[in-house]
């Protein structure tokens, strides 16, 4: 069975602060995909990033960056200089893997980020 | 415009009255899936389908049925809804090959209330 843990239920930061959202996963598969999605107050789910298990390069996209470490089974998400528009629920998800044909998807319980002006 | 559509967006119904939530995608994706979102539980996978006539159970399939007769459509059927199925439901689709990345595109959600 696969599992995704987002231990931070809610985080509040003041605008312009940096914030890191944690994601820890468990899987027996050697090949899998990890994702981050954003759910703003309007409710839709927005894809942010995908990372496959054989690519441990960190990625930066504007104020967003992601740190993938297989050794600690973590895929953390950092927002630099947070803005009010970053206020949302963020979900980490795992799609594994070589044993099951990449069919099952497991989401974490989400981290609600509130950016205070 | 590439999109996943769901209907209805909001539904209030009574216990035991059969209902269907439709889902359609125009991206020719092989993979489609249904999730329910509940406070504190995140999104949980109900059913998924790798292609036409190929469906399988996710983590919370009890009380739900699906069918995949056409590639673009993946309806969710509640034959006898109960109050514990009150939830926010999302349909999603994605390509079925690793070279396409596997990221899912989500519909706008259907808020279902069963009284």
């Amino acid at each position: 069975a696969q599992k995704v843990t987002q231990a931070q239920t809610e985080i509040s930061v003041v605008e312009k602060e940096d914030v890191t959202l944690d994601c820890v996963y468990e899987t027996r598969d050697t090949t899998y995909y990890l994702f981050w999605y954003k759910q703003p107050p309007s409710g839709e789910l927005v894809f942010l990033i995908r990372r496959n298990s054989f690519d441990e390069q960190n990625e930066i996209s504007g104020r967003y960056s992601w740190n993938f470490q297989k050794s600690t089974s973590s895929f953390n998400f950092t927002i630099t200089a947070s803005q009010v528009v970053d206020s949302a629920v963020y979900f980490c998800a795992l799609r594994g893997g070589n044993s099951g044909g990449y069919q099952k998807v497991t989401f974490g319980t989400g981290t609600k980020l509130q950016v205070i002006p | 415009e590439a999109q996943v559509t769901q209907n209805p967006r909001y539904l209030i119904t009574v216990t035991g009255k059969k209902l269907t939530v439709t889902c359609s995608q125009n991206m020719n994706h092989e993979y489609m899936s249904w999730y329910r979102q509940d406070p504190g539980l995140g999104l949980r996978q109900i059913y998924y389908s790798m292609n036409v006539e190929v469906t399988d159970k996710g983590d919370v399939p009890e009380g739900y049925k699906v069918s995949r007769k056409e590639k673009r459509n993946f309806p969710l059927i509640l034959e006898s809804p109960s109050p514990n199925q009150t939830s926010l439901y999302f349909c999603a689709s994605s390509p079925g090959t690793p070279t396409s990345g596997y990221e899912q595109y989500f519909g706008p959600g259907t808020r279902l209330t069963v009284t």
Side-chain angles (χ1 to χ4, degrees):
Chain A
Q2 55 192 39
K3 185 178 179 182
V4 176
T5 301
Q6 294 181 257
Q8 303 152 310
T9 306
E10 292 192 39
I11 301 176
S12 289
V13 299
V14 176
E15 202 171 21
K16 297 184 183 175
E17 285 184 349
D18 298 348
V19 59
T20 295
L21 310 183
D22 297 332
C23 173
V24 174
Y25 63 92
E26 296 175 30
T27 179
R28 294 178 186 163
D29 293 316
T30 55
T31 307
Y32 49 88
Y33 289 78
L34 294 161
F35 306 87
W36 276 96
Y37 289 88
K38 175 182 180 179
Q39 187 176 43
S42 50
E44 72 272 22
L45 284 157
V46 178
F47 165 73
L48 294 177
I49 192 171
R50 169 192 79 243
R51 177 63 71 223
N52 61 47
S53 56
F54 40 90
D55 181 3
E56 286 195 71
Q57 269 194 329
N58 292 328
E59 181 151 342
I60 298 174
S61 176
R63 296 183 297 107
Y64 295 172
S65 62
W66 291 269
N67 181 267
F68 175 36
Q69 292 196 339
K70 282 180 78 171
S71 59
T72 55
S73 297
S74 64
F75 186 41
N76 296 337
F77 173 28
T78 297
I79 302 174
T80 303
S82 59
Q83 300 177 1
V84 172
V85 293
D86 296 326
S87 296
V89 180
Y90 292 87
F91 291 99
C92 181
L94 167 67
R95 186 164 180 172
N98 42 301
S99 64
Y102 301 99
Q103 297 183 46
K104 290 206 117 178
V105 181
T106 300
F107 279 78
T109 52
T111 297
K112 183 176 183 179
L113 175 65
Q114 183 178 20
V115 181
I116 303 166
Chain B
E1 181 192 353
Q3 61 182 350
V4 179
T5 57
Q6 293 178 230
N7 283 292
R9 295 288 312 279
Y10 302 91
L11 179 60
I12 301 174
T13 189
V14 295
T15 298
K17 186 177 181 183
K18 181 178 179 179
L19 66 92
T20 299
V21 184
T22 64
C23 174
S24 183
Q25 50 95 3
N26 62 2
M27 296 169 278
N28 201 37
H29 285 164
E30 293 83 6
Y31 182 93
M32 297 186 74
S33 185
W34 277 102
Y35 299 87
R36 60 178 289 173
Q37 182 179 5
D38 302 291
L41 297 177
L43 282 86
R44 293 178 293 168
Q45 195 171 34
I46 303 171
Y47 269 95
Y48 54 86
S49 169
M50 285 298 286
N51 217 321
V52 175
E53 303 292 1
V54 181
T55 63
D56 208 346
K57 298 176 181 178
D59 293 321
V60 288
E62 294 78 20
Y64 305 95
K65 284 177 59 176
V66 293
S67 69
R68 187 93 181 270
K69 292 183 169 49
E70 302 168 284
K71 196 173 186 179
R72 62 169 44 222
N73 296 323
F74 191 45
L76 179 69
I77 303 156
L78 286 72
E79 296 217 322
S80 184
S82 62
N84 64 13
Q85 292 178 297
T86 293
S87 188
L88 177 60
Y89 291 87
F90 286 99
C91 179
S93 74
S94 79
T97 58
T99 52
S100 304
Y102 284 137
E103 62 262 29
Q104 295 181 91
Y105 298 85
F106 284 84
T110 295
R111 187 164 292 282
L112 171 65
T113 302
V114 183
T115 61

